Amino acid sequence: MSRQLRLEHPGAIWHITSRGNERRDIYRDDVDRRGFLSLLARVVRQRHWNLHAWVLMANHYHLLIETPEVGLSRGLQWLNQQYAEKFNTRHERVGHLFQGRFKGILVEREGHLLELLRYIVLNPVRCGAVTYAGDYSWSSYRATAGLQAPPGWLAIEWTLNQFGSDRTAAHEAFRRFVADGRGASYRPWATVIGQTYLGGSAFCERVQSLVDTKVRSGEHPKPQRYCARPSLEAVIALICQRYAVTEERLKAKSHSDARRAFCQLAVDDAGVKVHAVAEWLNVSDSAASRMRYGARALYAADESFRKTIDTMRAALKSNLQI
């Protein structure tokens, strides 16, 4: 199994999740939860992390961590290993507790950090464990909302500062902000780029420069190595220009090479889901997938088609018009 690309750098913000092996519970009672939080507090202090939010669910946890120094992977490996050993000893079990390595999403502060923080503390509400975020004891919500004293290892200053300088008013505004998100359809995974990045185009371009200089980055999955991607609209415009067709004609079945090239570039280079490509073409998912793989076969067998695709890829990468 390939490893997830870890672009650790000072000042990075990460949304971390780690799940139980075979989706089994990693906390059986409050003793387990308190033990985990004790270890979490220790690693936060040792690694000088800014922990903006956390929640413990039955079979997984979420953390929102800002890392002033490099050391995320080692810190989380230590946390999971230490907790697994204590859990196994206490419950007289053997074997893996967690489902492989943790999952980390690199997050842009502007436009995403606050929304993601709300998403994390609303996990117990979304799954039906409680009606209100304040009813759940095992998250950072109550401390950030002013309902209980915050521990020294929880960073609440940045969050509350987003709601004003008066602390009482900021607590109230934060509580309203979270409450307003109870019916929201925000899903961070739906907007993650390249399986690893949550941010705008400028942020992804900055991250791409880190990918390009990372030693052995080629060993990681391709989608994780190409976060600065062209938009679907850019692919459509380029295909229409290269094949001298309108968008309406591109959707017509008669332009097979253009449609195949569109499916290949949209999915492989722009990172658009096959379903979204199929929806734009007004065809089934399987039809879009066949066109994509048909383009790959043609790319390998037809030199003219290969040159056309390579030229368009270069144009998309450099934002050139051809």
Side-chain angles (χ1 to χ4, degrees):
M1 180 182 294
S2 58
R3 288 188 172 188
Q4 185 182 14
L5 182 60
R6 307 287 191 205
L7 290 176
E8 295 193 36
H9 60 277
I13 300 174
W14 296 89
H15 176 200
I16 302 299
T17 56
S18 193
R19 296 186 176 276
N21 195 30
E22 298 179 336
R23 296 185 177 275
R24 295 180 179 178
D25 288 355
I26 57 175
Y27 311 108
R28 294 185 181 177
D29 54 30
D30 288 352
V31 174
D32 287 341
R33 295 181 182 91
R34 285 192 291 269
F36 179 87
L37 290 181
S38 176
L39 293 171
L40 177 61
R42 180 176 171 184
V43 72
V44 165
R45 291 191 176 105
Q46 288 178 341
R47 294 286 174 175
H48 308 293
W49 291 345
N50 292 323
L51 180 64
H52 292 284
W54 60 270
V55 67
L56 309 186
M57 305 301 289
N59 65 358
H60 68 284
Y61 66 76
H62 293 260
L63 307 175
L64 189 55
I65 302 172
E66 185 174 356
T67 54
E69 304 170 0
V70 173
L72 177 79
S73 293
R74 289 186 178 181
L76 289 172
Q77 287 168 9
W78 178 88
L79 173 64
N80 282 2
Q81 181 179 359
Q82 290 293 313
Y83 178 70
E85 290 178 359
K86 292 180 180 296
F87 183 92
N88 284 353
T89 298
R90 180 169 184 255
H91 297 289
E92 299 182 343
R93 69 179 296 276
V94 295
H96 296 292
L97 178 63
F98 291 98
Q99 182 179 297
R101 290 160 59 87
F102 66 90
K103 181 176 182 179
I105 300 298
L106 191 58
V107 180
E108 182 179 24
R109 181 187 298 273
E110 294 77 12
H112 292 278
L113 180 57
L114 199 59
E115 192 67 50
L116 191 53
L117 189 153
R118 175 165 67 176
Y119 170 85
I120 288 174
V121 299
L122 280 173
N123 261 262
V125 177
R126 281 193 302 276
C127 76
V130 294
T131 303
Y132 303 102
D135 296 336
Y136 195 72
S137 301
W138 302 104
S139 84
S140 57
Y141 173 80
R142 292 182 55 83
T144 309
L147 301 177
Q148 66 184 47
W153 45 270
L154 178 65
I156 64 172
E157 293 299 324
W158 181 88
T159 302
L160 293 177
N161 285 341
Q162 308 312 300
F163 299 96
S165 57
D166 180 81
R167 183 52 56 91
T168 300
H171 282 312
E172 294 176 355
F174 174 74
R175 292 196 292 269
R176 289 195 300 271
F177 172 72
V178 173
D180 289 344
R182 290 178 60 215
S185 59
Y186 175 74
R187 297 175 59 206
W189 312 116
T191 55
V192 168
I193 300 171
Q195 304 174 357
T196 311
Y197 319 98
L198 182 60
S201 58
F203 170 76
C204 289
E205 288 173 5
R206 292 196 302 270
V207 173
Q208 185 68 64
S209 66
L210 295 174
V211 177
D212 293 339
T213 59
K214 185 177 176 65
V215 178
R216 299 173 64 190
S217 68
E219 299 177 7
H220 299 279
K222 183 176 179 180
Q224 297 176 15
R225 293 184 276 119
Y226 297 97
C227 55
R229 292 175 177 259
S231 65
L232 178 61
E233 291 73 19
V235 174
I236 294 170
L238 193 59
I239 292 288
C240 289
Q241 184 177 356
R242 175 62 182 82
Y243 287 95
V245 297
T246 63
E247 291 187 15
E248 290 71 21
R249 293 189 65 193
L250 179 59
K251 294 180 180 183
K253 295 182 179 179
S254 57
H255 294 279
S256 55
D257 279 3
R259 287 156 64 83
R260 280 195 288 262
F262 167 66
C263 290
Q264 183 178 15
L265 292 176
V267 177
D268 295 350
D269 293 76
V272 179
K273 298 292 185 183
V274 171
H275 176 72
V277 173
E279 191 174 56
W280 189 87
L281 285 173
N282 196 26
V283 298
S284 66
D285 290 4
S286 60
S289 184
R290 286 195 299 271
M291 281 188 274
R292 176 193 177 200
Y293 286 107
R296 287 183 170 183
L298 194 59
Y299 181 89
D302 188 304
E303 183 178 358
S304 176
F305 185 79
R306 182 165 57 253
K307 287 182 178 179
T308 298
I309 292 293
D310 288 344
T311 301
M312 288 192 291
R313 277 180 169 154
L316 288 170
K317 187 174 183 180
S318 61
N319 292 320
L320 296 177
Q321 295 291 325
I322 63 172

